[in-house]
Amino acid sequence: MERIQRVRVWSAGLRLAHWLIALPVLVLLATGWLIGVAPSLAAAASDVHGVAGFALTLGLALRLYLLLAGSGAAHWRALVPAPGDLGKAGMMLRFYLSLGRTPLPRWYSHNPLWVPLYALILLILVAQSATGLLMEHRPLLAGFYLPAVHAFLAPVILAFSALHIVAVVLHDARGTSSDVSAMINGHRIFVIEKPQTPAQAGIQSIPIERIGKR
Ligand code: HEM
Ligand code: HEM
């Protein structure tokens, strides 16, 4: 017998920060590319780049605040890989290599394979915002030519975004926890297998709040 339970794993603040980061990043990738390749559109693209850059900076500021002051999935501790999650990360790799044919492991909020990449991309985005804000007034900083750093990080952010979007769509399509809508409404779905009779020998149960928690 199966039972499903909706559990709120993403707080409103974290979801707001996610979308205030994700949507501007997509606009910044497109407008940054236009600035470089389409001189006739560069002025308009640069204006939009500036507005989206401001929105991204707000989103990052909120995310950084939550890393320190938030709780649960929003706190920085949730972005530190746990050695116990290594097996689940391996299962995730098998899932991708088989194009979604092997089973997904169970996890609570952040995907165990992506945890270190989330921390890294937040750091990269902070560097990208800082170079974007500074480079026009101060192109050289500590020996780094900031426009070159900004142009170098853009394809790295593009690669992360593309892989991340394909991955979360694959998790949603092949898994049972409705991951994409969870980043909108906050709730992931957990399928709980219930024993036929409560007293079935040898089967342990854990409360839903503990699923996937370390
Ligand atoms: C995901 C984040 C971002 C990406 C992928 C990105 C990408 C790019 C790219 C590809 C260029 C053109 C480089 C060239 O062809 O030489 C560019 C230029 C520029 N970016 Fe960004 N950028 C991002 C965030 C920001 C932010 C947050 C700001 C500032 C708030 C910013 C400000 C600028 C400025 C001032 C330029 C110079 C060109 C101009 O707008 O006139 N960028 N960016
Ligand atoms: C528009 C398409 C996008 C969708 C549908 C989406 C969806 C999601 C989902 C479902 C998660 C949770 C995944 C998990 O189980 O670990 C997540 C997490 C995350 N996403 Fe996205 N995402 C999108 C775009 C982006 C972009 C463009 C970025 C930045 C480059 C981004 C950065 C992040 C980060 C940093 C996390 C970890 C959550 C945190 O702790 O801040 N996302 N996203």
Side-chain angles (χ1 to χ4, degrees):
M1 204 192 359
E2 268 183 5
R3 193 156 67 88
I4 63 166
Q5 198 141 3
R6 285 178 88 232
V7 182
R8 191 166 175 279
V9 298
W10 307 116
S11 64
L14 187 134
R15 281 176 279 143
L16 178 65
H18 177 269
W19 294 115
L20 257 180
I21 292 170
L23 301 178
V25 163
L26 298 179
V27 174
L28 287 158
L29 285 167
T31 50
W33 175 73
L34 279 177
I35 292 169
V37 300
S40 60
L41 292 173
S46 172
D47 287 348
V48 179
H49 201 77
V51 175
F54 179 67
L56 171 65
T57 309
L58 281 184
L60 280 175
L62 174 59
R63 188 64 190 96
L64 295 184
Y65 167 76
L66 292 173
L67 284 178
L68 299 173
S71 56
H75 195 267
W76 62 266
R77 274 191 225 99
L79 290 185
V80 177
D85 281 351
L86 220 63
K88 288 181 184 174
M91 261 180 106
M92 284 310 303
L93 271 180
R94 278 197 293 281
F95 171 80
Y96 294 133
L97 292 176
S98 71
L99 293 178
R101 279 189 281 271
T102 59
L104 278 169
R106 290 166 80 91
W107 71 88
Y108 182 71
S109 55
H110 296 95
N111 180 279
L113 180 65
W114 284 79
V115 159
L117 292 181
Y118 292 145
L120 188 65
I121 194 69
L122 290 175
L123 212 66
I124 289 175
L125 289 173
V126 168
Q128 188 71 336
S129 283
T131 53
L133 290 168
L134 281 176
M135 67 193 193
E136 281 182 315
H137 314 287
R138 190 156 180 194
L140 258 183
L141 189 74
F144 287 102
Y145 182 57
L146 298 186
V149 176
H150 198 78
F152 171 79
L153 290 179
V156 178
I157 296 166
L158 173 66
F160 170 88
S161 304
L163 290 174
H164 172 62
I165 293 170
V166 170
V168 296
V169 169
L170 210 59
H171 302 167
D172 195 302
R174 298 283 178 164
T176 51
S177 43
S178 298
D179 281 6
V180 173
S181 77
M183 205 27 111
I184 297 170
N185 65 51
H187 296 73
R188 291 185 80 217
I189 308 267
F190 292 90
V191 176
I192 299 156
E193 309 216 342
K194 262 179 79 181
Q196 296 292 326
T197 58
Q200 247 178 355
I203 296 183
Q204 296 187 357
S205 67
I206 55 166
I208 183 74
E209 309 80 56
R210 299 291 312 149
I211 291 177
K213 279 195 174 164
R214 297 162 196 162

